[in-house]
Amino acid sequence: NAGVMQNPRHLVRRRGQEARLRCSPMKGHSHVYWYRQLPEEGLKFMVYLQKENIIDESGMPKERFSAEFPKEGPSILRIQQVVRGDSAAYFCASSPPGTGGNEQYFGPGTRLTVT
Amino acid sequence: AQSVTQPDIHITVSEGASLELRCNYSYGATPYLFWYVQSPGQGLQLLLKYFSGDTLVQGIKGFEAEFKRSQSSFNLRKPSVHWSDAAEYFCAVGARDNYGQNFVFGPGTRLSVLP
């Protein structure tokens, strides 16, 4: 059973461009979480999704950020008009149904650099 | 809301020495507690978790942690550190229906190991 997959692993964008980060959960996992890790800090929750539903996006900035988890395909975290402050590592985690989110398996992360 | 503190930003130990990483949490109900390890450029790997029962929990890679309710602590220990243990360690606290912002990470402790 492959682990959580994220791509790309590294992404460089100029200010004002769009960044698309992808996350494929582990097989059988229907819950996806996105976290952001700024340098020298722990992970901060951004959004929690189930298939075709955003359950909790309270940690996501109101503007420029969006997330989706379609019926088919990976979950996407989209950042429009990126700014330098968006430079961070973005981690995706997935969990199986029925565990209340207490078994989160993390992907390797996407490191976004905004120049 | 939960919160987690890890008082030590950076710890250096010699290979073969014992290790204790501190974690203190704040949560009104019975917490679910976790320790994750992050190697450079990698995602997070779950070392161990505590939900209930025996307050001393064993994890992978020879790690253990002890839940002390009276001290609101969940310190991570290893009797003999190996050079490969050099990494960032994160304590996290969750809740029964753990998702989203209910899953809170500490700022991390960076462990360096001297040969």
Side-chain angles (χ1 to χ4, degrees):
Chain A
N1 190 0
V4 178
M5 311 282 283
Q6 288 188 251
N7 66 81
R9 294 291 304 275
H10 300 274
L11 182 61
V12 179
R13 285 287 178 266
R14 291 199 182 96
R15 279 178 296 172
Q17 291 184 319
E18 179 180 286
R20 277 181 174 245
L21 289 62
R22 294 175 185 77
C23 169
S24 297
M26 290 179 69
K27 187 177 180 180
H29 289 193
S30 54
H31 302 202
V32 166
Y33 312 78
W34 285 93
Y35 295 84
R36 178 164 62 178
Q37 184 181 33
L38 295 171
E40 308 299 324
E41 294 186 17
L43 277 71
K44 297 288 194 292
F45 165 77
M46 299 182 73
V47 61
Y48 162 46
L49 310 104
Q50 294 180 16
K51 285 281 188 182
E52 300 184 278
N53 283 305
I54 297 175
I55 307 301
D56 183 350
E57 57 182 347
S58 58
M60 201 150 67
K62 295 286 187 288
E63 298 179 354
R64 301 187 298 109
F65 285 72
S66 62
E68 63 177 13
F69 188 16
K71 187 176 180 181
E72 301 290 337
S75 175
I76 306 286
L77 179 67
R78 183 181 177 204
I79 311 172
Q80 296 177 292
Q81 299 176 314
V82 295
V83 301
R84 288 248 172 90
D86 296 332
S87 295
Y90 292 84
F91 289 94
C92 166
S94 71
S95 67
T99 60
N102 285 311
E103 286 187 37
Q104 293 191 26
Y105 296 84
F106 283 80
T110 294
R111 279 147 184 86
L112 173 65
T113 301
V114 179
T115 61
Chain B
Q2 298 98 297
S3 66
V4 180
T5 57
Q6 293 180 248
D8 304 304
I9 296 174
H10 187 197
I11 284 182
T12 300
V13 300
S14 298
E15 191 169 18
S18 63
L19 171 71
E20 182 169 28
L21 302 181
R22 295 183 291 166
C23 172
N24 293 97
Y25 67 90
S26 172
Y27 185 56
T30 299
Y32 288 14
L33 296 160
F34 308 79
W35 274 100
Y36 285 86
V37 60
Q38 183 182 30
S39 298
Q42 301 298 313
L44 276 70
Q45 182 181 22
L46 179 65
L47 286 175
L48 47 79
K49 59 188 178 185
Y50 171 79
F51 289 176
S52 64
D54 193 344
T55 56
L56 184 64
V57 293
Q58 303 297 321
I60 61 171
K61 304 185 179 186
F63 286 92
E64 66 178 26
E66 186 171 13
F67 170 55
K68 292 186 177 180
R69 184 187 299 275
S70 62
Q71 298 177 18
S72 297
S73 68
F74 189 57
N75 294 349
L76 182 71
R77 300 194 294 250
K78 186 170 185 178
S80 178
V81 170
H82 188 262
W83 64 267
S84 60
D85 293 325
E88 189 96 21
Y89 290 80
F90 294 96
C91 181
V93 62
R96 178 174 179 170
D97 292 315
N98 184 15
Y99 67 92
Q101 61 184 340
N102 289 324
F103 202 69
V104 176
F105 284 86
T109 296
R110 183 177 303 167
L111 174 65
S112 298
V113 180
L114 299 175

